Amino acid sequence: MVWPNRYSSLWHMIAAPVVWAVHFCAVYGGTALVCARMDAPGLARIGIAAASVVALGLIWWIGRRAWRQWDYASRANRTHGGPRAEDRREFLGHSAWLLAIVSAIGVIFVSLPALFIESCL
Amino acid sequence: MKIGIALALTVVLASCEGRQSVLSPAGRDAEVLANLFWWMLGGAVVLWLFVNGLMLYFSRIRRKRHSLRVAQWFIFMCGVVLPTTVLAGLLIFALREMPQQREPGEGLTLRVTGESWWWRVEYWPDGADEPVTTANEIRLPAGSRSEIELAANGVIHSFWIPALGGKTDMIPGRVNRMSLEPTAPGTYRGQCAEFCGLSHAHMALEAVVMAPEEFERWLGAEARDARAPEGAEAKRGKQLFLSQGCGGCHTVRGTPATARVGPDLTHLGGRKSLAAGMLPMDRQSLVGWLSAPESIKPGVNMPGYDHLPPADLQALAAYLEGLT
């Protein structure tokens, strides 16, 4: 299926932060539930690891598509400030790529505690 | 001008020392926090000099056009790589310290309950069936980790002894836990760190860190019933204590006074302070407190006894002072 607004939708730009937000809620909510109901820190840590791998995979995929949309490699002129569809597409791709980097850092920072803290306390 | 600055600096720096300062740590947990503070302060100073130095350099010293490529590289390194690295480093440092700060205690458990506006303190030594109850002062053995359970009655309080460790909130209806590992014997000061009503600022506590053997001796003495009054005045004070209804709120173990509304007074005279860290423990303060507690701690639940003749107040104070 071809999405008619493929290159102008803002959703493509914020897809990576959305993954980060969902990961954040899943990790915090899931850990709270597992620790309160089962007191199983091991299970919580495995869950956080799994959620982080999935989130980072999705962000990698989104970031790769954004990189292509930005079309950084094939252009000598790296600015995209003009009022043309091409500029708009590349600007959104550029922004999405940067947001993917921030989201990946966010996901890593959110899951780091599980690496060091082995208990529910 | 210079003298003024020097004086102001002296005042500011002098406040860093002392028994209620995160910058004079006396425990393992506070040392980590102080260490982190100094590293972050140092880092902030370096960053400040770096940013302002660059601003000076590019706006005053080297005023020419820069290439887009250099500018973009600079923004990426200083705007993305550097902050990510610094934040990751700080996060990992803090996370590595967290498990130790949450370690269970090595035997002794204290249960501290925030009241309005004082601290109920119970000691549960390893294997104890019932606690040793006291108030407004905690004592801890140096060199080992003690478990501290934190509860609250009515409103939220926060338990904080800056020289020993971080602060933890006390929340009605639940029990929070923390643990402290004091290293240096001494007397430190804690303070309620969450606004809890009229006398929030007057809710302090003494924290005495003792050598382990000394602590064991003290806890053994603290568990015993109250000392019988010595001397005619103190004996009359005990009779007044019971006839004036003090036992309607307070406990003095070994006497008919067994209520738990107010602080346990069994060993009141042995404490370092009166009225939750507000007054020194002496005769004059006791008389002042008994006659007008409201003037020292606004909103306090204890009524004043200024209707008693001064000789009766002196007798009551003599009795209470003797409860060591």
Side-chain angles (χ1 to χ4, degrees):
Chain A
M1 188 189 118
V2 179
W3 194 310
N5 297 326
R6 173 70 185 80
Y7 293 125
S8 58
S9 165
L10 283 177
W11 279 107
H12 290 284
M13 189 178 84
I14 62 162
V18 167
V19 171
W20 168 24
V22 171
H23 171 266
F24 183 94
C25 293
V27 162
Y28 272 69
T31 306
L33 274 176
V34 168
C35 277
R37 297 283 170 189
M38 294 188 271
D39 194 22
L43 183 64
R45 294 175 80 198
I46 291 170
I48 293 168
S52 304
V53 168
V54 171
L56 286 174
L58 275 172
I59 289 171
W60 170 257
W61 179 69
I62 293 164
R64 240 172 60 125
R65 288 174 70 108
W67 174 264
R68 286 196 200 127
Q69 189 180 327
W70 180 18
D71 204 11
Y72 178 79
S74 74
R75 276 160 55 96
N77 178 11
R78 290 192 192 83
T79 57
H80 37 56
R84 298 174 305 151
E86 188 191 354
D87 283 305
R88 188 154 52 244
R89 184 186 71 226
E90 289 183 7
F91 168 74
L92 289 173
H94 189 179
S95 306
W97 185 71
L98 291 176
L99 284 171
I101 294 177
V102 174
S103 304
I105 295 169
V107 166
I108 291 168
F109 277 16
V110 166
S111 38
L112 262 180
L115 213 60
F116 294 97
I117 296 170
E118 298 175 3
S119 76
C120 274
L121 291 174
Chain B
M1 180 68 185
K2 272 183 184 166
I3 294 174
I5 292 172
L7 271 176
L9 263 179
T10 313
V11 170
V12 170
L13 291 176
S15 63
C16 298
E17 289 299 318
R19 59 199 202 99
Q20 188 183 311
S21 172
V22 287
L23 300 179
S24 312
R28 166 77 179 72
D29 312 271
E31 272 164 29
V32 171
L33 295 179
N35 195 11
L36 189 60
F37 170 80
W38 287 117
W39 273 98
M40 288 185 69
L41 183 68
V45 168
V46 169
L47 270 180
W48 189 87
L49 290 173
F50 178 63
V51 170
N52 284 283
L54 279 177
M55 198 167 75
L56 193 70
Y57 180 71
F58 285 122
S59 66
R60 292 277 181 271
I61 298 169
R62 192 169 178 275
R63 297 166 73 166
K64 71 174 188 87
R65 206 179 158 81
H66 301 277
S67 76
L68 186 65
R69 200 181 171 78
V70 170
Q72 282 180 338
W73 179 84
F74 192 74
I75 289 173
F76 180 72
M77 290 311 283
C78 293
V80 180
V81 176
L82 182 68
T84 307
T85 315
V86 169
L87 287 176
L90 283 172
L91 181 64
I92 290 169
F93 176 85
L95 287 171
R96 281 165 57 96
E97 292 296 339
M98 278 172 81
Q100 179 150 17
Q101 302 229 337
R102 284 145 188 254
E103 260 179 17
E106 295 166 314
L108 177 70
T109 299
L110 263 75
R111 189 185 178 97
V112 184
T113 307
E115 304 275 352
S116 295
W117 291 272
W118 57 282
W119 316 82
R120 190 187 296 279
V121 184
E122 293 171 342
Y123 294 82
W124 293 84
D126 216 2
D129 295 326
E130 55 177 23
V132 177
T133 304
T134 167
N136 295 336
E137 182 174 294
I138 67 163
R139 297 200 178 212
L140 294 170
S144 66
R145 190 163 277 279
S146 297
E147 179 98 4
I148 300 178
E149 294 178 354
L150 300 167
N153 194 2
V155 295
I156 296 181
H157 302 273
S158 188
F159 178 81
W160 191 27
I161 303 163
L164 299 186
K167 65 167 96 78
T168 305
D169 280 3
M170 310 167 113
I171 297 167
R174 59 174 295 167
V175 176
N176 282 343
R177 62 171 293 281
M178 70 186 294
S179 62
L180 289 174
E181 187 181 328
T183 47
T187 304
Y188 308 98
R189 190 174 187 272
Q191 167 68 41
C192 180
E194 180 76 55
F195 181 71
C196 58
L198 209 52
S199 276
H200 160 66
H202 299 131
M203 184 172 169
L205 84 162
E206 301 286 325
V208 185
V209 177
M210 308 168 95
E213 330 63 81
E214 207 187 328
F215 174 79
E216 288 304 324
R217 265 202 306 280
W218 172 82
L219 190 59
E222 195 71 12
R224 284 197 276 278
D225 283 352
R227 186 189 285 259
E230 287 167 15
E233 194 181 28
K235 281 179 182 153
R236 203 167 74 79
K238 181 179 180 182
Q239 283 165 3
L240 279 164
F241 185 87
L242 296 172
S243 65
Q244 288 295 326
C246 304
C249 290
H250 296 285
T251 293
V252 177
R253 289 196 303 275
T255 76
T258 54
R260 286 173 47 84
V261 177
D264 187 299
L265 303 180
T266 307
H267 299 287
L268 177 71
R271 292 183 205 149
K272 304 255 177 202
S273 76
L274 178 66
M278 287 302 104
L279 299 168
M281 182 58 69
D282 57 31
R283 181 77 68 97
Q284 198 188 346
S285 305
L286 278 163
V287 170
W289 173 254
L290 289 168
S291 55
E294 176 83 23
S295 69
I296 291 149
K297 193 166 278 203
V300 70
N301 285 327
M302 177 163 145
Y305 285 81
D306 50 355
H307 56 279
L308 294 179
D312 286 4
L313 288 173
Q314 287 287 343
L316 266 172
Y319 170 57
L320 293 171
E321 200 181 14
L323 294 175
T324 53

